[in-house]
Amino acid sequence: MKLAAGLFSILLFINGIMLTFQYHVYSNQLTEEDKTFYYDQDIEVVYHKNKFTIRHHLNSLPESQVRLNWPAKSIKKECGDEQTEKCNRLNKTKTSLNKGKTKEQTFVYTIPAPSEGKLSGRVIKNIFLSLNLGKPVHTTIHITDKKHSGGQWITGLPEVKSKNLKLIQYSMFSGNGPVTSLYWQKAKMKELFTNDQVTLYGNGHASDNLAQALKGLDIEGFEHVAIIESKKYKKSGDRILFTSELNKKTLTEKYILSQMNQKYNFDMLPNWGPAVVASFLTERRVGSPKASKMVATLKDYMNEQQLKDWKTSLEDLQGKKITAGLLDDKLSSSLELKTSFFKMNAQNGNKVAPLLFEDKRPIYLNGLQQKNMQVILKDGRILYSVKPLLNKLGYSTKIGVHGFYAQSKERNFRFPMDEPFYVYNEHRYDLLSQPIVKYGSDYYIEEAWLVRLFIVDIEKSEKQINIKRQ
């Protein structure tokens, strides 16, 4: 019995070690999305002469350690409440909140402000404290203008109240989601239209058709924005948009694209990125002609299930840094075929690169695996990336005024890109189809022409493609 009890104790001990080990492995493998938390905030902003004093209340905080992201220009960062427990989690360096059970913390900081003359008509960006991996569910902002500047304050949140008192001007805004910017202008504007998702400010009036269109912008999950009529170009903030045109198309695009830029990080993509994602998620065509053509290209190919999978994968990318490679990975998964559609379009300027599919099998040339070679499928044709392949076969390649050139000591080729013939060692040969084509910034040669003109054998198995010089 003692032996059995001893063995049982040892097994319990080993099991405990294994569980601890598995827990740490699991914890270390948590994605950033798994660690995301949600909180509420109440922000008091006091505008003095050339400065904003901000008292920032954080509520519903997690018990784990949280890194603070102070505004770059913030100074005089301090505890903001006389009650000790309201600041008891702030570490000595004021860079993070320590672990603790206190759900509320309050801080005060100062942001330098432009003089009144330079403040009017300018968006003051990245003005508020944020929490790393934290997402504000609800934000309330109180603005007290001790200079009694008049005019109008805008945050992007719905305005709850505004009062002009003897000594101060007070405005209150409240709504869902984060706020990063403030805007003030000396000339007060009219509120042309407002609902739960958009407030339109301007000096004219909103037609019945425009008001009806704005009501139709009620899209689930989208947060309130302010749209300001302005004849001068002004760079928008996350939730503060400017427009010189009061029409349905312009306002719809600005509203939808602003929501995309709030929910996703498109810094690594050309301007068609948010438009393409928005077009799929909202079922509305927005953005440039290139964005519209890219969406049409994908929709023309996708069946109903593929389209559903693609939309789901786009929704799952919220809050992440979006790159062309990431979109290609998600698209390849949805279509169950490998493609570099977004990478090619990122390299193709205003032209739309076609939807091509890639053979996933590794390519071997004379027994050695090639990392920079690619085989694609397009309209029933099998195409090989021609430059790296011919270079390995001993040819120098270049693009000239009269086409694509491939040259070796004994064999010289020229392939015009716009006429059906090629030149081999000064002799012209007419064709019915082009051996070499360009997609995006890359050149490809059709498999049959590769074998015929460059004297290679191609063998394929389920696991790889073998190219051998004859």
Side-chain angles (χ1 to χ4, degrees):
M1 290 295 292
K2 287 184 179 181
L3 178 60
L7 286 172
F8 181 70
S9 299
I10 292 171
L11 287 171
L12 279 178
F13 176 71
I14 292 173
N15 190 50
I17 291 175
M18 291 300 294
L19 286 172
T20 303
F21 173 76
Q22 290 171 359
Y23 170 77
H24 284 298
V25 169
Y26 170 77
S27 299
N28 291 333
Q29 290 177 344
L30 284 175
T31 64
E32 289 204 349
E33 186 176 344
D34 294 324
K35 297 177 183 177
T36 298
F37 61 89
Y38 300 89
Y39 65 99
D40 297 325
Q41 56 184 354
D42 194 285
I43 305 171
E44 302 171 32
V45 180
V46 179
Y47 176 49
H48 312 267
K49 183 178 181 180
N50 298 340
K51 69 177 180 180
F52 296 106
T53 299
I54 299 172
R55 184 179 294 271
H56 203 135
H57 307 273
L58 305 169
N59 303 298
S60 306
L61 294 170
E63 296 182 6
S64 58
Q65 185 180 25
V66 178
R67 192 170 82 236
L68 302 175
N69 299 319
W70 294 97
K73 295 183 178 180
S74 60
I75 57 175
K76 299 180 181 178
K77 301 184 278 267
E78 302 291 347
C79 173
D81 203 293
E82 294 179 357
Q83 300 178 45
T84 306
E85 67 272 11
K86 288 294 182 72
C87 292
N88 62 0
R89 292 180 59 181
L90 183 64
N91 68 359
K92 291 182 180 180
T93 59
K94 300 176 184 177
T95 56
S96 65
L97 301 178
N98 294 322
K99 291 181 180 180
K101 294 187 177 181
T102 309
K103 299 292 184 181
E104 299 180 24
Q105 298 284 276
T106 302
F107 307 110
V108 171
Y109 49 99
T110 298
I111 303 287
S115 61
E116 185 176 314
K118 294 182 178 179
L119 179 64
S120 183
R122 177 177 170 185
V123 178
I124 309 298
K125 296 185 177 182
N126 302 317
I127 191 173
F128 299 123
L129 167 74
S130 64
L131 305 181
N132 193 51
L133 300 178
K135 294 183 179 180
V137 175
H138 191 272
T139 300
T140 300
I141 296 181
H142 313 264
I143 301 177
T144 301
D145 186 345
K146 286 193 172 182
K147 291 191 65 180
H148 217 289
S149 308
Q152 196 156 24
W153 292 94
I154 292 174
T155 67
L157 293 172
E159 184 176 313
V160 177
K161 66 175 70 172
S162 180
K163 290 184 179 180
N164 284 316
L165 305 175
K166 282 188 177 181
L167 299 178
I168 63 168
Q169 176 185 347
Y170 172 77
S171 301
M172 177 182 174
F173 304 84
S174 187
N176 294 329
V179 173
T180 63
S181 308
L182 286 181
Y183 175 78
W184 178 79
Q185 73 171 44
K186 185 69 176 177
K188 196 161 186 176
M189 298 168 288
K190 292 188 291 186
E191 195 176 274
L192 304 182
F193 175 86
T194 187
N195 66 4
D196 290 340
Q197 293 196 295
V198 60
T199 299
L200 177 63
Y201 297 93
N203 299 311
H205 72 280
S207 66
D208 292 340
N209 289 339
L210 182 58
Q212 196 63 35
L214 291 173
K215 288 179 183 178
L217 287 177
D218 187 12
I219 303 174
E220 185 178 353
F222 277 20
E223 294 163 351
H224 186 278
V225 299
I227 303 179
I228 301 167
E229 181 186 12
S230 175
K231 299 302 179 185
K232 295 181 180 179
Y233 172 77
K234 295 180 183 178
K235 195 170 183 180
S236 299
D238 288 342
R239 301 178 71 159
I240 302 171
L241 315 177
F242 297 94
T243 182
S244 59
E245 302 176 46
L246 294 181
N247 61 64
K248 177 181 177 181
K249 183 178 185 301
T250 298
L251 295 184
T252 299
E253 283 205 2
K254 283 185 175 290
Y255 174 73
I256 291 176
L257 293 178
S258 77
Q259 296 289 339
M260 290 297 107
N261 283 303
Q262 287 182 58
K263 293 177 179 294
Y264 299 83
N265 181 347
F266 292 105
D267 291 346
M268 305 296 290
L269 279 179
N271 59 11
W272 48 254
V276 169
V277 174
S279 296
F280 279 103
L281 294 183
T282 65
E283 292 295 336
R284 299 167 186 259
R285 289 288 177 92
V286 296
S288 64
K290 174 166 179 171
S292 294
K293 289 177 183 177
M294 289 174 66
V295 171
T297 296
L298 294 177
K299 283 193 170 181
D300 285 345
Y301 181 84
M302 291 178 174
N303 60 36
E304 187 175 336
Q305 185 59 49
Q306 289 170 334
L307 182 59
K308 182 179 178 181
D309 293 343
W310 170 236
K311 287 182 179 180
T312 299
S313 67
L314 291 179
E315 291 169 354
D316 292 341
L317 292 178
Q318 286 191 33
K320 296 180 181 177
K321 185 177 290 187
I322 309 299
T323 64
L326 180 59
L327 290 178
D328 282 329
D329 289 343
K330 297 299 181 183
L331 181 59
S332 298
S333 178
S334 299
L335 300 180
E336 296 184 339
L337 289 167
K338 191 175 187 306
T339 182
S340 296
F341 179 71
F342 291 101
K343 283 183 183 177
M344 290 178 66
N345 275 288
Q347 300 167 359
N348 212 31
N350 292 325
K351 295 181 180 179
V352 179
L355 179 61
L356 306 174
F357 299 110
E358 302 162 27
D359 198 310
K360 296 181 181 180
R361 290 173 290 185
I363 302 168
Y364 288 79
L365 178 60
N366 295 327
L368 297 175
Q369 186 174 356
Q370 306 299 311
K371 297 294 186 182
N372 61 342
M373 289 187 192
Q374 188 182 47
V375 178
I376 63 172
L377 312 173
K378 171 64 175 171
D379 299 330
R381 303 173 77 190
I382 303 173
L383 302 162
Y384 292 71
S385 48
V386 68
K387 282 186 177 182
L389 178 52
L390 293 187
N391 291 160
K392 289 288 186 179
L393 291 173
Y395 291 85
S396 62
T397 59
K398 68 176 183 179
I399 309 302
V401 177
H402 300 293
F404 183 95
Y405 293 79
Q407 298 174 329
S408 68
K409 290 181 180 180
E410 299 177 349
R411 311 179 81 238
N412 298 311
F413 292 89
R414 177 171 69 87
F415 300 91
M417 301 305 296
D418 54 359
E419 296 182 66
F421 72 88
Y422 73 92
V423 176
Y424 169 61
N425 287 350
E426 305 302 326
H427 294 284
R428 170 175 167 150
Y429 298 87
D430 292 325
L431 304 169
L432 295 177
S433 65
Q434 292 285 84
I436 292 179
V437 293
K438 182 184 179 185
Y439 292 126
S441 59
D442 296 319
Y443 290 81
Y444 300 87
I445 184 168
E446 189 171 7
E447 183 177 78
W449 287 110
L450 173 62
V451 171
R452 184 183 306 173
L453 298 180
F454 294 97
I455 315 173
V456 297
D457 288 326
I458 298 176
E459 297 176 356
K460 300 176 184 177
S461 67
E462 290 185 4
K463 294 185 178 181
Q464 63 190 56
I465 297 172
N466 295 303
I467 304 172
K468 293 181 181 179
R469 192 195 302 267
Q470 288 183 8

